[in-house]
Amino acid sequence: MKEITEKLLSLKEVTDYTENLKNKVSPITILGLSDVSKSCITAFTRESAKRMVLLVTYNELQAQKLHRDLKNMDTKVTYIPKKDIITYDYDVQSRDILYQRIDGIVKLFNNEAEITVLSIETLMQPILTKKQMKNSILKVLVAKEYNLEEIKEKLVYLGYERCDMVEGKGTFSVRGDILDIAISNKNGIRIEFFGDEVDQIRYFDISSQRSTENVNQVQIFPITEEIEKEPNGSIIEYLSESAIIVFDELNKISLRSENILNDNVFLIKDLIEKEKNVPYILENMYNIEQLLGQTANFQIVELDFQDIAQGKENTITFKYEDIKQIDDKFLEITKQEKEKKTYKPRTRVSNEFREAEKITFSDLKVRRLCST
């Protein structure tokens, strides 16, 4: 990332862009970008402004590509996938997607997200309001008294499943005065009670059961969005006031938004004709006008591939030659990183170990005789 940043800083266009960011100019339109350079500009925006960045693009494939490129640049980036809308009589949603969504929303809530990438469809889907998220948090403190039964009920409400021993994310177990909660597939929280009072709270490794860190308090967030059947919140409300919203190809985003809503109309009509339930999320998606209205108080950056003037103020156009150099530098760096990860040096074996591992002819003969 450092080499790419140095290359960007050498360009007059980036100097102008940095000045506009600093002066909170909005919107800023940047033209002539490739997909790779869009990721580079987004990462540079975060690094230069030191503010939260929300990157919105026109479909899931593009969101995944931008997320992958940003990860290759060693940036702290989060991807929030769209929620699958189930119109069948059985639920086939991927738990991984559900967990990834709620994890991304929680990071935004805690102001831990540096760069968040999502598609317009994800942004259109209503989620828990920030107030609902805040009210759902289970807070536990050392030396404070709690009703264990109420805590268990709260965990079930938050989407956790009780089991004999925690094995993976979204599960909890109770053994005597010990409550274990798996917050990921690797790590859990162990809460030890002395009567009704919390005696100790510590993080532990699920596979080894070894404690890793003692803490005085802990916050348990929902593991699912289903705690509210009719959510009416928006991801935009989770952003800090200083956040920068980056739109990747706003024209494509607007067109995709319209197509999604039009498709929903036909899908809703089909479900009603078949006398099936219409999912709440299907009828209550935000349209592009509502979303743009929600973003009015944020600094906006619009990225576009087109390098022709669009009649907008605060427009910065990159030259093809400069973008080509940025792309080449990015590919060079990512190639080097891949080679580092795939290369595994051969381990040296001591002569003593080699001698100990030697198998003589007589050894084989004895083994053969013993096996018959």
Side-chain angles (χ1 to χ4, degrees), residues 109 128-137 233 237-238:
F109 179 88
L128 295 172
T129 65
K130 195 171 183 178
K131 184 178 180 180
Q132 288 170 336
M133 175 66 78
K134 184 178 180 180
N135 292 338
S136 71
I137 299 170
E237 69 180 274
Y238 282 77

Side-chain angles (χ1 to χ4, degrees), residues 138-250:
L138 171 61
K139 297 180 181 179
V140 183
L141 291 82
V142 170
K144 190 173 180 181
E145 292 188 354
Y146 297 89
N147 185 314
L148 184 55
E149 290 301 319
E150 291 180 358
I151 289 181
K152 289 189 286 187
E153 289 177 8
K154 177 80 171 182
L155 286 170
V156 172
Y157 167 72
L158 295 180
Y160 292 83
E161 182 180 348
R162 183 172 180 176
C163 58
D164 293 334
M165 181 177 288
V166 292
E167 296 178 350
K169 187 171 184 175
T171 61
F172 76 95
S173 68
V174 180
R175 293 173 287 118
D177 292 332
I178 298 176
L179 169 64
D180 286 348
I181 307 166
I183 56 174
S184 72
N185 288 326
K186 294 182 178 180
N187 302 311
I189 295 169
R190 179 161 291 159
I191 303 172
E192 296 186 19
F193 288 84
F194 184 78
D196 290 336
E197 183 179 298
V198 174
D199 183 52
Q200 199 174 46
I201 303 174
R202 59 181 185 267
Y203 289 94
F204 71 97
D205 182 277
I206 292 176
S207 59
S208 67
Q209 294 292 304
R210 291 181 178 177
S211 299
T212 56
E213 180 187 2
N214 281 51
V215 292
N216 291 322
Q217 61 180 334
V218 70
Q219 292 188 121
I220 310 298
F221 286 86
I223 204 72
T224 176
E225 300 169 66
E226 303 304 323
I227 61 173
E228 179 64 43
K229 297 301 179 185
E230 296 186 355
N232 59 357
S234 166
I235 285 175
I236 301 296
E237 69 180 274
Y238 282 77
L239 302 180
S240 64
E241 294 180 357
S242 63
I244 300 170
I245 301 178
V246 179
F247 287 111
D248 170 31
E249 310 272 356
L250 188 54

